[in-house]
Amino acid sequence: MSSPFEIIAKSVRLYKTNAYTFLGYSSWMLLTFAAFVLLGFFPLTPFVKFLAFVLSIFEILVSLWVFISLVLCSKAILSNQTNEIKKIGQTAKSLIQPVLTVALLQILMLIGGVLLIIVPSFIFMVWFCFAQLNVIFDGKRGIDALQTSRELVKGKFWKVFLLVFGGTFILFFIYSVILSILMGVIAAAQGVDIIDLLNGTLPLWIQVLEAIGEVLLLPLIVIYLTSVYLEVRNEKVIESKSHSRGESN
């Protein structure tokens, strides 16, 4: 199995080659961000609060659609099935409800693990890390998606933990460093102490910078996680075939 750095390098190459396609999907998140910024200029009346609530639900749905679309796009490009990209948007819409259901089940499992003790929560987090991808790629639903994810992780718990959580930590760390440098440079150019800015209400330019950064980062995270999932699943298939041959012999 590849190391996190090898998969990150492969993901970066794939992202660079297909940046226009990936950013076309992730940039939809700027729509809800712009709506929230616009809403912030109005007095905080009950109607504005209601609009903010509706917008929050809409933001969740858009974020799910973007995530699913990016996953499907990553799979299509990794599998050299680029003809499938045209149908991704519509397919992603049909998967929002089952993916959301599994995400809620994951949250409930993690909360249950925390209530018991931290260790079960950590185990559940790793066991079920592929559940949403099982919904998207394998047509699994509900508890079945969680069980399928656990089967994939079985026998390679620490490898999966290192790949999924170690790799994403590396990407988030690099992103945080770059974002901090950019914020520091812009704040210095304005003659403002960045620490003072972060301690108070964030100015609009920082919010915009963070929103753009998230749009740029999300495709890379999704490509990486999709690559990890496909590698783990392929290894599981090879192991199953080898086991079957061993039994037949």
Side-chain angles (χ1 to χ4, degrees):
M1 193 178 291
S2 304
S3 71
F5 295 103
E6 290 171 330
I7 300 179
I8 287 173
K10 184 177 73 172
S11 300
V12 169
R13 290 194 298 270
L14 188 70
Y15 188 11
K16 287 171 63 178
T17 307
N18 303 274
Y20 180 81
T21 302
F22 286 115
L23 292 176
Y25 287 109
S26 65
S27 59
W28 278 94
M29 295 194 303
L30 292 175
L31 179 66
T32 52
F33 170 75
F36 272 116
V37 170
L38 184 62
L39 208 59
F41 289 105
F42 292 91
L44 198 59
T45 62
F47 180 67
V48 170
K49 289 181 180 178
F50 173 74
L51 284 179
F53 173 73
V54 173
L55 189 56
S56 297
I57 295 174
F58 180 68
E59 182 181 35
I60 291 171
L61 296 177
V62 170
S63 298
L64 271 175
W65 180 81
V66 169
F67 169 74
I68 297 167
S69 298
L70 289 172
V71 168
L72 291 170
C73 190
S74 300
K75 169 68 159 45
I77 294 173
L78 285 164
S79 305
N80 294 316
Q81 297 174 335
T82 50
N83 57 311
E84 299 292 323
I85 292 178
K86 295 178 181 178
K87 300 181 287 185
I88 282 175
Q90 195 61 38
T91 304
K93 287 181 185 178
S94 66
L95 288 168
I96 289 176
Q97 184 270 323
V99 169
L100 180 59
T101 301
V102 167
L104 292 174
L105 285 173
Q106 285 178 282
I107 292 170
L108 289 174
M109 289 284 190
L110 291 176
I111 292 174
V114 169
L115 292 176
L116 292 171
I117 194 171
I118 298 299
V119 174
S121 182
F122 167 72
I123 293 172
F124 293 161
M125 187 172 60
V126 179
W127 276 356
F128 306 136
C129 64
F130 295 132
Q132 294 176 48
L133 297 181
N134 289 140
V135 173
I136 297 170
F137 295 141
D138 304 320
K140 303 296 181 181
R141 297 292 184 267
I143 296 297
D144 194 25
L146 299 178
Q147 291 174 338
T148 303
S149 177
R150 182 183 175 184
E151 283 299 313
L152 282 175
V153 175
K154 190 176 180 180
K156 48 178 72 66
F157 183 93
W158 291 110
K159 285 183 180 179
V160 170
F161 170 75
L162 179 63
L163 286 172
V164 173
F165 298 98
T168 51
F169 172 79
I170 292 169
L171 290 174
F172 274 113
F173 178 75
I174 295 171
Y175 163 75
S176 299
V177 170
I178 294 172
L179 186 65
S180 298
I181 292 172
L182 286 174
M183 289 186 346
V185 169
I186 295 173
Q190 295 178 342
V192 181
D193 188 344
I194 188 65
I195 303 299
D196 293 336
L197 285 177
L198 296 177
N199 286 334
T201 302
L202 293 179
L204 182 58
W205 70 266
I206 289 184
Q207 296 178 46
V208 171
L209 192 63
E210 288 180 337
I212 293 173
E214 289 169 6
V215 166
L216 293 172
L217 176 67
L218 181 60
L220 182 58
I221 294 288
V222 172
I223 295 168
Y224 175 81
L225 291 176
T226 304
S227 299
V228 169
Y229 170 80
L230 293 175
E231 186 158 327
V232 171
R233 190 177 70 171
N234 290 339
E235 187 174 285
K236 195 73 175 180
V237 170
I238 293 171
E239 288 175 356
S240 298
K241 288 180 179 178
S242 299
H243 183 67
S244 298
R245 290 196 197 100
E247 287 184 345
S248 62
N249 291 333

